[in-house]
Amino acid sequence: MPQSTRTLADKILLILKGLAMGAANKVPGVSGGVVAFVAGFYEEFIYSLQKVNFKAFKLFINFRWASFFQYINGSFLGLLILGMLISYFSVSKILDYFLVTHELYVWSLFFGMILGSVVYIARTFKNWNTATISFLIGGTLAGVAISLLPPSTQNDNLIFVFFCGIIGVSGMTLPGLSGSFILILLGNYVLLLVDSVNTLFDTFIHVFNNDYSFLNDPEHMRLLTVLIVFSIGSVVGMVSLSHLLGYVLKQYKNQTFASITGFILGSLGVVWPWKNKIFKLNTQGELLVDNNGNPILDHFERYLPELNMNTYIALLWIIIGVALVLYLDYIGNKNTQIIKDS
C-alpha cells in the first residue's frame, strides 16, 4: 500500500504486526517471517528491504531525506520496525515470563499457530505440481534437519557475534527458519537475546535516573558492545538476505513458496510442546554452565504425553492456536471483500 494512502488504523495495525513479528522471532522455534507470510505482507516486507541499496544511500548522503524515506517505503518499514523494537521490551518480556511459568501451554499455542499456518498456506497456494511438491519435501527435510542439530557453547567473540546477527535475523526474512533457535544452536541465545537486551533496558533506566556509573562497569559495557555488533550484523543480514530472497521470489515464486511451506512444516518438530531440556555434563557428571552461570543446553528430548489434565489443556491451546490463525485469515478475506465491494 502506498505510504500516502495509509490511514491511522493501517499504521496502528502495522505496529501490531511488528509486535507480533518481534515476539515470534524471540521465541526459539518460532519464525517472525511466518507472521509476515500468513498476515499477507511478506512480499512487501522483502521488496521494501530490497530498496535499502546504493541508490538509497546516495539519496541519504545527499540530504534528500524525503526522497530517501519514500524510496525505501519508510512508512511501512519504520512502523513495522517500531513494533519489533517495542516488542523486545514489552511483549517478549511477557513471553519470557510465561515460558518460565507455563512453558507447556506457550509451546502448545505456538505449535497450534504454526500448524494453522501450514493449513492456511496449503489451502491458499494453488500451484501444486511435481516440482513444487519436491520443493515442499526438500524444505520440510531441511527444517527437520536443522531442528535436530545439537547446540554449541556460548561465544562472545565480536566477529562471531556479527555472524550471529546475520544468521539470527533469518527468521524475519525466511518463514519457518527460527532465528532464535539458530542462536541456540550457535550457543548465543542467552547472551544476545536475553542478557544483552536486558542490559540495554537497564542502561535506559540508568540514563533516565541520571546515573552513568554503568560506564565504569566492564561487564555492562561488554554486553552493550556485543548488542551493538549483533544489531549491525542483523541489519546487514536483513538487507542482504532480502535482496537474495527478492530475486528468488521474482524468478522462482512458486518453488520459493513451496520451500517456505516446507520450512514451516519442518519447524513443528522444534516447537513440539512435550520435550525435556537435556543439559551438558562434564566427565564427572557435573552440570556445565556458561560465563553467566547458565546451564549449557545439550539437546531436547521429545516424548509423547500421557493423557491427563495438563495434556488436555495443552491440546486446547493447540486448537486455539490453529483457530487464531484461521480466524485472522477469515478476517483478512472479509476485509478484502469489503474493499472490493465498496
Short mmCIF file of all heavy atoms in Angstrom, two decimals, residues 21-58:
data_model
loop_
_atom_site.label_atom_id
_atom_site.label_comp_id
_atom_site.label_asym_id
_atom_site.label_seq_id
_atom_site.Cartn_x
_atom_site.Cartn_y
_atom_site.Cartn_z
N MET A 21 5.76 -9.94 15.02
CA MET A 21 6.98 -10.45 14.41
C MET A 21 8.12 -10.50 15.42
O MET A 21 8.85 -11.49 15.51
CB MET A 21 7.38 -9.59 13.22
CG MET A 21 6.57 -9.80 11.96
SD MET A 21 7.27 -8.92 10.54
CE MET A 21 8.73 -9.91 10.18
N GLY A 22 8.28 -9.41 16.18
CA GLY A 22 9.35 -9.35 17.17
C GLY A 22 9.20 -10.40 18.25
O GLY A 22 10.17 -11.06 18.63
N ALA A 23 7.97 -10.55 18.75
CA ALA A 23 7.72 -11.54 19.80
C ALA A 23 7.96 -12.95 19.28
O ALA A 23 8.59 -13.78 19.94
CB ALA A 23 6.28 -11.39 20.31
N ALA A 24 7.46 -13.23 18.07
CA ALA A 24 7.61 -14.56 17.49
C ALA A 24 9.08 -14.88 17.25
O ALA A 24 9.53 -16.00 17.50
CB ALA A 24 6.83 -14.66 16.18
N ASN A 25 9.84 -13.90 16.77
CA ASN A 25 11.23 -14.16 16.43
C ASN A 25 12.10 -14.40 17.65
O ASN A 25 13.18 -14.99 17.55
CB ASN A 25 11.82 -13.00 15.62
CG ASN A 25 12.90 -13.45 14.66
OD1 ASN A 25 12.67 -14.35 13.85
ND2 ASN A 25 14.08 -12.88 14.75
N LYS A 26 11.63 -13.95 18.85
CA LYS A 26 12.43 -14.16 20.05
C LYS A 26 12.21 -15.54 20.66
O LYS A 26 13.02 -16.02 21.43
CB LYS A 26 12.11 -13.08 21.10
CG LYS A 26 13.11 -13.08 22.24
CD LYS A 26 12.89 -11.97 23.23
CE LYS A 26 13.92 -12.04 24.35
NZ LYS A 26 13.70 -11.01 25.39
N VAL A 27 11.10 -16.19 20.30
CA VAL A 27 10.79 -17.50 20.87
C VAL A 27 11.48 -18.58 20.04
O VAL A 27 11.25 -18.67 18.83
CB VAL A 27 9.27 -17.74 20.89
CG1 VAL A 27 8.96 -19.14 21.43
CG2 VAL A 27 8.58 -16.69 21.75
N PRO A 28 12.33 -19.42 20.65
CA PRO A 28 13.03 -20.46 19.90
C PRO A 28 12.05 -21.40 19.20
O PRO A 28 11.12 -21.93 19.82
CB PRO A 28 13.81 -21.21 20.99
CG PRO A 28 13.97 -20.21 22.09
CD PRO A 28 12.73 -19.38 22.07
N GLY A 29 12.25 -21.57 17.90
CA GLY A 29 11.38 -22.46 17.13
C GLY A 29 10.31 -21.73 16.36
O GLY A 29 9.68 -22.30 15.48
N VAL A 30 10.07 -20.46 16.68
CA VAL A 30 9.03 -19.69 16.02
C VAL A 30 9.69 -18.63 15.15
O VAL A 30 10.65 -17.98 15.56
CB VAL A 30 8.08 -19.03 17.04
CG1 VAL A 30 6.94 -18.31 16.33
CG2 VAL A 30 7.52 -20.08 17.99
N SER A 31 9.17 -18.45 13.94
CA SER A 31 9.76 -17.52 12.98
C SER A 31 8.89 -16.28 12.82
O SER A 31 7.69 -16.39 12.56
CB SER A 31 9.92 -18.22 11.63
OG SER A 31 10.16 -17.31 10.60
N GLY A 32 9.51 -15.10 12.97
CA GLY A 32 8.78 -13.86 12.73
C GLY A 32 8.32 -13.76 11.29
O GLY A 32 7.30 -13.13 11.00
N GLY A 33 9.05 -14.40 10.38
CA GLY A 33 8.66 -14.39 8.97
C GLY A 33 7.34 -15.09 8.73
O GLY A 33 6.63 -14.77 7.78
N VAL A 34 7.01 -16.07 9.60
CA VAL A 34 5.72 -16.75 9.46
C VAL A 34 4.58 -15.75 9.64
O VAL A 34 3.57 -15.79 8.95
CB VAL A 34 5.60 -17.90 10.48
CG1 VAL A 34 4.18 -18.46 10.50
CG2 VAL A 34 6.58 -19.01 10.16
N VAL A 35 4.75 -14.83 10.62
CA VAL A 35 3.74 -13.80 10.86
C VAL A 35 3.54 -12.97 9.60
O VAL A 35 2.40 -12.72 9.17
CB VAL A 35 4.15 -12.90 12.04
CG1 VAL A 35 3.15 -11.75 12.22
CG2 VAL A 35 4.25 -13.70 13.33
N ALA A 36 4.66 -12.54 9.00
CA ALA A 36 4.58 -11.73 7.78
C ALA A 36 3.95 -12.52 6.64
O ALA A 36 3.15 -11.98 5.86
CB ALA A 36 5.97 -11.25 7.38
N PHE A 37 4.29 -13.78 6.55
CA PHE A 37 3.80 -14.63 5.46
C PHE A 37 2.29 -14.84 5.58
O PHE A 37 1.54 -14.67 4.62
CB PHE A 37 4.54 -15.97 5.50
CG PHE A 37 4.45 -16.75 4.21
CD1 PHE A 37 5.26 -16.42 3.14
CD2 PHE A 37 3.58 -17.80 4.09
CE1 PHE A 37 5.21 -17.13 1.95
CE2 PHE A 37 3.51 -18.52 2.91
CZ PHE A 37 4.33 -18.19 1.84
N VAL A 38 1.84 -15.22 6.79
CA VAL A 38 0.43 -15.51 7.00
C VAL A 38 -0.41 -14.24 6.98
O VAL A 38 -1.54 -14.23 6.49
CB VAL A 38 0.23 -16.28 8.32
CG1 VAL A 38 -1.26 -16.47 8.63
CG2 VAL A 38 0.92 -17.64 8.25
N ALA A 39 0.15 -13.14 7.51
CA ALA A 39 -0.60 -11.88 7.58
C ALA A 39 -0.66 -11.18 6.23
O ALA A 39 -1.35 -10.17 6.08
CB ALA A 39 0.03 -10.95 8.61
N GLY A 40 0.09 -11.69 5.24
CA GLY A 40 -0.06 -11.19 3.88
C GLY A 40 0.81 -10.01 3.50
O GLY A 40 0.57 -9.40 2.46
N PHE A 41 1.84 -9.70 4.30
CA PHE A 41 2.70 -8.57 3.93
C PHE A 41 4.15 -9.00 3.74
O PHE A 41 5.06 -8.17 3.72
CB PHE A 41 2.60 -7.45 4.98
CG PHE A 41 3.10 -7.81 6.36
CD1 PHE A 41 4.40 -7.53 6.74
CD2 PHE A 41 2.25 -8.40 7.28
CE1 PHE A 41 4.86 -7.84 8.01
CE2 PHE A 41 2.69 -8.71 8.55
CZ PHE A 41 4.00 -8.43 8.92
N TYR A 42 4.38 -10.30 3.57
CA TYR A 42 5.74 -10.82 3.43
C TYR A 42 6.44 -10.24 2.20
O TYR A 42 7.59 -9.78 2.28
CB TYR A 42 5.71 -12.34 3.36
CG TYR A 42 7.06 -12.97 3.16
CD1 TYR A 42 8.01 -12.95 4.18
CD2 TYR A 42 7.41 -13.58 1.97
CE1 TYR A 42 9.26 -13.52 4.02
CE2 TYR A 42 8.65 -14.17 1.79
CZ TYR A 42 9.57 -14.13 2.82
OH TYR A 42 10.82 -14.70 2.64
N GLU A 43 5.76 -10.25 1.04
CA GLU A 43 6.40 -9.78 -0.18
C GLU A 43 6.70 -8.28 -0.10
O GLU A 43 7.78 -7.84 -0.53
CB GLU A 43 5.51 -10.08 -1.39
CG GLU A 43 5.50 -11.56 -1.77
CD GLU A 43 4.76 -11.81 -3.06
OE1 GLU A 43 5.32 -11.51 -4.13
OE2 GLU A 43 3.62 -12.31 -3.00
N GLU A 44 5.79 -7.49 0.46
CA GLU A 44 6.05 -6.05 0.61
C GLU A 44 7.23 -5.83 1.55
O GLU A 44 8.06 -4.94 1.33
CB GLU A 44 4.81 -5.33 1.15
CG GLU A 44 5.03 -3.82 1.24
CD GLU A 44 3.81 -3.04 1.71
OE1 GLU A 44 2.79 -3.68 2.06
OE2 GLU A 44 3.88 -1.80 1.73
N PHE A 45 7.32 -6.65 2.60
CA PHE A 45 8.42 -6.55 3.56
C PHE A 45 9.76 -6.81 2.87
O PHE A 45 10.72 -6.03 3.02
CB PHE A 45 8.19 -7.56 4.68
CG PHE A 45 9.28 -7.61 5.72
CD1 PHE A 45 9.64 -6.47 6.42
CD2 PHE A 45 9.92 -8.79 6.01
CE1 PHE A 45 10.65 -6.52 7.39
CE2 PHE A 45 10.92 -8.85 6.96
CZ PHE A 45 11.28 -7.71 7.65
N ILE A 46 9.83 -7.88 2.07
CA ILE A 46 11.07 -8.23 1.37
C ILE A 46 11.44 -7.17 0.34
O ILE A 46 12.59 -6.70 0.27
CB ILE A 46 10.95 -9.62 0.70
CG1 ILE A 46 10.81 -10.72 1.76
CG2 ILE A 46 12.15 -9.89 -0.20
CD1 ILE A 46 12.00 -10.84 2.69
N TYR A 47 10.47 -6.74 -0.45
CA TYR A 47 10.76 -5.77 -1.50
C TYR A 47 11.09 -4.40 -0.94
O TYR A 47 11.86 -3.64 -1.54
CB TYR A 47 9.59 -5.69 -2.49
CG TYR A 47 9.45 -6.93 -3.35
CD1 TYR A 47 8.21 -7.52 -3.56
CD2 TYR A 47 10.56 -7.52 -3.94
CE1 TYR A 47 8.08 -8.67 -4.34
CE2 TYR A 47 10.44 -8.66 -4.71
CZ TYR A 47 9.21 -9.23 -4.91
OH TYR A 47 9.09 -10.37 -5.69
N SER A 48 10.54 -4.06 0.23
CA SER A 48 10.89 -2.79 0.88
C SER A 48 12.33 -2.83 1.37
O SER A 48 13.09 -1.86 1.22
CB SER A 48 9.94 -2.51 2.05
OG SER A 48 8.62 -2.34 1.61
N LEU A 49 12.73 -3.97 1.95
CA LEU A 49 14.11 -4.12 2.40
C LEU A 49 15.09 -4.07 1.22
O LEU A 49 16.21 -3.58 1.35
CB LEU A 49 14.27 -5.45 3.15
CG LEU A 49 13.67 -5.53 4.55
CD1 LEU A 49 13.77 -6.94 5.10
CD2 LEU A 49 14.34 -4.53 5.50
N GLN A 50 14.64 -4.56 0.06
CA GLN A 50 15.49 -4.51 -1.14
C GLN A 50 15.82 -3.07 -1.54
O GLN A 50 16.84 -2.82 -2.17
CB GLN A 50 14.78 -5.18 -2.31
CG GLN A 50 14.93 -6.70 -2.35
CD GLN A 50 14.39 -7.21 -3.67
OE1 GLN A 50 13.19 -7.27 -3.88
NE2 GLN A 50 15.28 -7.61 -4.55
N LYS A 51 14.95 -2.15 -1.17
CA LYS A 51 15.16 -0.75 -1.53
C LYS A 51 16.29 -0.10 -0.71
O LYS A 51 16.72 1.02 -1.01
CB LYS A 51 13.87 0.05 -1.34
CG LYS A 51 12.76 -0.34 -2.32
CD LYS A 51 13.14 -0.02 -3.75
CE LYS A 51 12.02 -0.30 -4.72
NZ LYS A 51 12.38 0.04 -6.11
N VAL A 52 16.72 -0.79 0.34
CA VAL A 52 17.89 -0.29 1.10
C VAL A 52 19.12 -0.71 0.31
O VAL A 52 19.73 -1.74 0.56
CB VAL A 52 17.90 -0.87 2.52
CG1 VAL A 52 19.07 -0.29 3.32
CG2 VAL A 52 16.58 -0.57 3.24
N ASN A 53 19.49 0.13 -0.68
CA ASN A 53 20.57 -0.20 -1.59
C ASN A 53 21.44 1.03 -1.85
O ASN A 53 21.34 2.04 -1.14
CB ASN A 53 20.00 -0.76 -2.91
CG ASN A 53 18.93 0.16 -3.51
OD1 ASN A 53 18.94 1.37 -3.29
ND2 ASN A 53 18.00 -0.42 -4.26
N PHE A 54 22.27 0.96 -2.88
CA PHE A 54 23.21 2.05 -3.16
C PHE A 54 22.47 3.34 -3.52
O PHE A 54 22.89 4.43 -3.13
CB PHE A 54 24.16 1.65 -4.29
CG PHE A 54 25.21 2.68 -4.59
CD1 PHE A 54 26.22 2.95 -3.67
CD2 PHE A 54 25.19 3.39 -5.78
CE1 PHE A 54 27.18 3.90 -3.93
CE2 PHE A 54 26.15 4.35 -6.06
CZ PHE A 54 27.15 4.61 -5.13
N LYS A 55 21.38 3.22 -4.26
CA LYS A 55 20.60 4.41 -4.62
C LYS A 55 20.05 5.09 -3.36
O LYS A 55 20.08 6.32 -3.26
CB LYS A 55 19.46 4.03 -5.56
CG LYS A 55 18.61 5.22 -6.00
CD LYS A 55 17.52 4.80 -6.98
CE LYS A 55 16.65 6.01 -7.36
NZ LYS A 55 15.58 5.63 -8.34
N ALA A 56 19.55 4.27 -2.42
CA ALA A 56 19.03 4.82 -1.16
C ALA A 56 20.15 5.52 -0.39
O ALA A 56 19.95 6.59 0.19
CB ALA A 56 18.42 3.71 -0.32
N PHE A 57 21.34 4.91 -0.41
CA PHE A 57 22.49 5.51 0.28
C PHE A 57 22.85 6.87 -0.33
O PHE A 57 23.14 7.83 0.40
CB PHE A 57 23.68 4.54 0.18
CG PHE A 57 24.93 5.07 0.80
CD1 PHE A 57 25.06 5.17 2.19
CD2 PHE A 57 26.01 5.47 0.00
CE1 PHE A 57 26.23 5.66 2.76
CE2 PHE A 57 27.18 5.94 0.56
CZ PHE A 57 27.29 6.05 1.95
N LYS A 58 22.80 6.97 -1.68
CA LYS A 58 23.11 8.25 -2.34
C LYS A 58 22.09 9.32 -1.98
O LYS A 58 22.44 10.47 -1.73
CB LYS A 58 23.14 8.04 -3.85
CG LYS A 58 24.40 7.34 -4.37
CD LYS A 58 24.32 7.06 -5.86
CE LYS A 58 24.23 8.35 -6.67
NZ LYS A 58 24.19 8.08 -8.13
#
